[in-house]
Amino acid sequence: MELVQDPPPVTPHLSARRSGAHQTAMGPRAGAQVNPGFALLVWLTAHCSCPQAQGFSQGGLDASRADLWASANTSLLHSFWCQPASQLPRDQLSALIRGMATQQVLLRAWQLSCLANLATLHGLQDDFELHPPDLLLFYNLTQVRKANCRAFTRRAAQGDTELLANLPDQRVALQHVALACLGAPRLRLSASDLLLLGVLVCDMDASRIETADPRVLENLQRCRRLTATQQAALNTLLASSKTVLGPPSSWNLEGLRALGALATYISSSLWMQVPEAVGLAFFSSTVATYRAGRLSQRDARRFVTGFLKAKAASVPSRPKRGTGRPCTRGDITAATLRDDLFLVRYDCVQLESCLGGRVLKAHLDPLLQHPLPAECQRVVKAKLARVYPRGVPEEQLRLITSLVYLYSRSEIGQWNITSRDTVVALLASDVALENQTEAVLQKYLDHNGTITSTLLMAIGGSRLCWMSARQIQAIRPAEFRRAGALDISSCPQSRKDALYTKAREAFGSTRNTANYYRFMRPYLGGAPVEELRHLVQANVSMDIDTFTNLNPRVLQSLSVGNVTTLLGQNVGDLQKARSHPTISSWLRSLNTSALGELGLDTDPAGPTGPARSTTETPNTTPWAPHLAPTARQPGNSAPTSGSPPAHLGFLPLAVALPSSLLWLLYWGTPGPSQDCSWGTGTKASKDGAGPAPHAGKLGLVGGAGHLPRYRLQAQRTQPCPTS
């Protein structure tokens, strides 16, 4: 039996996104053979023999040549940056987006949001069926044509809605549009409805899940996590006997395996109704899956805890630990630990009674490969303390990743950490909390260790959140540069401030504004108001994801004009994020006229109005989204998005194309191991890329009322000479 008949095409995509969390979004790493901007320049130069380049029509490239251009420049797909893309002709941008869909290129939210604005600006949104599903999540939903509503929803529902974490209103509006596409009010979602809604069901409230067609299980399998109320709804549905599994008393191993990670949410009360042999077989299968690395620790521990609770409730009560109860199951041996049913046969009381110190020392790794419940983990920690009274030795530290959260700073102070591999083992799993992270790193630094770029990339940007200000200061600027873009969006404000200072130290000597902003973007959450005002002058067109991570207090110091200029073509995205805490606190300080100036509606029932709780009682009245009419209106070949159009200068084609070439050339990404103080190329620094934004004060290139120098340089470029 198989619950999911047609696996969603983006499943590998999502898996890759999760496993590639430490990848930088700044472009190719050191060792890349060709600068993307240079590759593009060479390709177009080879095809350019006159003011109107060969193969170019008045509107740009024809479709086949545009696709050839995209396939010849795959590095631009994988190191996408929105500013240079905004200079591309319509056909090249279209080919770029189609190439991303074909190659399943992973983009982050900050890349997708501005790319969606560019696509809408150029009237490409109607080609959505050829675009990546993730990109559709960011499109202006008011531009979705009525005739395309269902097809658009079906395609968008294949994307990763977690990308909309900073756009709560867009996420709610997307669900409203999807439900409106179904037509009449839906008291019960049918199988065909669920096929259309896809992953969007993950945002729906528990009542809709309980009453939906049982095939809703297929949708729920795609959810990253379920809320407490959704978990309860899932168990109600499974207990109803309406699913393909039937009543719990008739469940079999094949059906449980088909549930995938959803089975980890099954309640202990339901496990008590499952035939014992089936439950034990599934327990063994799940532990084997976890030990093979195909199930997360969080999911495995949730399942084991619920299952063992059901088993404990089905047998007579036993004496609690510490009453002198002897080992009744037999001493634990190496063979015992290889048994996938080890935790069923040895509960935490028996683990304490039957596990000897010698076996613990020799077989710690296979023991901790089991998803031990929290009580059992505390038993193991206590036994390690008795075996190693002076602290766990370093070779064993690399094995206790799942236990590190239990250790205090003083206990970690007894450890001996001399190897970077030990630090990575202890911290890379995200189990360690604030105190553990700082203490582990300090023990490493105390033994003359250094925080290198390799270590930073291995433990991830979120670990920077728990480093002390002194430890952050100890990072050498060159190592910080080589680490690339580290995601520090989850850090508290005090750490963002410290990391911004470190980033300024690392990237402050960058020669032109474009590269400076590119390197500093992940760290602007700690930027002071002076920095942001200089970025306003530099016309950077900040994406909404970066904007929502700015310091809320600093944001209060920016005027409406500052924000409008800072966001540029992305200013319409404020509507998609107006319920975000950072945005809403700023908007509350504005009057109605200022909101109008920003293009924000004041109707909370609008398509991107304030987010609604997913726990509220569902409204049976169909929500009517502001869908675009089916027929094109005269002169509307390029519908506008929620963002105002970017002012591209309307240069003639012969000038605009070389301008876009130089823009991309200026934005060519140096490998992180290169010296960031050396511009993007010899010609770039020679021909007027301004000095770093660090000449005494924040001297960003391009003052108020002037275009940045790199843009002026691009406009001086001459068209191709005739042959």
Side-chain angles (χ1 to χ4, degrees), residues 192-203:
S192 60
D193 294 338
L194 294 167
L195 188 63
L196 176 76
L197 294 172
V199 75
L200 302 182
V201 170
C202 298
D203 284 340

Side-chain angles (χ1 to χ4, degrees), residues 161-198:
T161 53
E162 294 298 313
L163 289 165
L164 297 174
N166 285 331
L167 299 177
D169 301 273
Q170 176 76 354
R171 192 162 178 166
V172 171
L174 189 66
Q175 185 183 133
H176 285 166
V177 167
L179 292 175
C181 286
L182 298 179
R186 289 296 199 268
L187 297 178
R188 179 179 182 273
L189 297 174
S190 67
S192 60
D193 294 338
L194 294 167
L195 188 63
L196 176 76
L197 294 172

Side-chain angles (χ1 to χ4, degrees), residues 142-163:
T142 65
Q143 296 296 326
V144 177
R145 301 179 186 280
K146 292 179 180 178
N148 296 337
C149 183
R150 296 180 71 89
F152 179 90
T153 299
R154 184 177 290 106
R155 180 74 172 166
Q158 296 173 10
D160 178 9
T161 53
E162 294 298 313
L163 289 165

Side-chain angles (χ1 to χ4, degrees), residues 249-477:
S249 59
S250 67
W251 288 0
N252 56 43
L253 180 60
E254 181 186 5
L256 286 169
R257 282 177 172 169
L259 280 177
L262 281 185
T264 67
Y265 292 103
I266 295 176
S267 66
S268 56
S269 60
L270 281 187
W271 281 122
M272 293 176 67
Q273 303 175 44
V274 177
E276 183 179 15
V278 173
L280 292 176
F282 184 69
F283 187 98
S284 178
S285 172
T286 302
V287 170
T289 301
Y290 168 72
R291 295 170 78 181
R294 298 194 301 272
L295 184 66
S296 72
Q297 182 178 105
R298 181 188 62 193
D299 289 344
R301 286 184 61 190
R302 179 174 56 242
F303 160 70
V304 166
T305 300
F307 187 92
L308 294 180
K309 181 180 177 181
K311 185 176 182 297
S314 64
V315 297
S317 60
R318 298 174 177 176
K320 294 185 178 180
R321 179 163 45 92
T323 60
R325 184 166 183 252
C327 173
T328 60
R329 292 287 188 176
D331 290 342
I332 294 173
T333 65
T336 309
L337 293 174
R338 288 195 295 269
D339 184 0
D340 289 330
L341 289 176
F342 167 71
L343 289 176
V344 173
R345 293 176 176 144
Y346 289 85
D347 60 19
C348 299
V349 173
Q350 285 294 291
L351 178 65
E352 183 178 49
S353 302
C354 304
L355 179 62
R358 183 176 300 176
V359 173
L360 177 65
K361 291 174 65 174
H363 303 287
L364 181 60
D365 188 33
L367 170 62
L368 295 181
Q369 284 183 15
H370 290 274
L372 301 176
E375 182 185 355
C376 293
Q377 288 182 327
R378 287 190 286 270
V379 169
V380 175
K381 176 180 179 287
K383 284 184 170 289
L384 285 171
R386 291 195 289 269
V387 172
Y388 301 112
R390 296 184 179 179
V392 181
E394 186 164 17
E395 63 270 16
Q396 298 283 58
L397 288 177
R398 300 174 189 178
L399 307 178
I400 66 167
T401 295
S402 60
L403 305 181
V404 67
Y405 78 98
L406 295 172
Y407 285 86
S408 67
R409 293 172 66 95
S410 60
E411 289 173 321
I412 293 173
Q414 295 181 297
W415 295 351
N416 189 40
I417 302 177
T418 63
S419 168
R420 184 188 68 194
D421 292 340
T422 304
V423 177
V424 172
L426 290 170
L427 299 184
S429 70
D430 288 334
V431 173
L433 303 178
E434 178 177 2
N435 290 340
Q436 289 84 5
T437 297
E438 183 180 344
V440 166
L441 285 172
Q442 194 57 51
K443 289 299 296 183
Y444 177 60
L445 293 173
D446 289 345
H447 285 87
N448 298 319
T450 57
I451 301 176
T452 64
S453 58
T454 305
L455 179 58
L456 288 172
M457 288 185 287
I459 65 178
S462 61
R463 284 285 162 221
L464 291 168
C465 302
W466 308 125
M467 293 171 63
S468 68
R470 186 163 61 93
Q471 290 172 342
I472 292 173
Q473 185 57 36
I475 304 172
R476 295 170 183 167

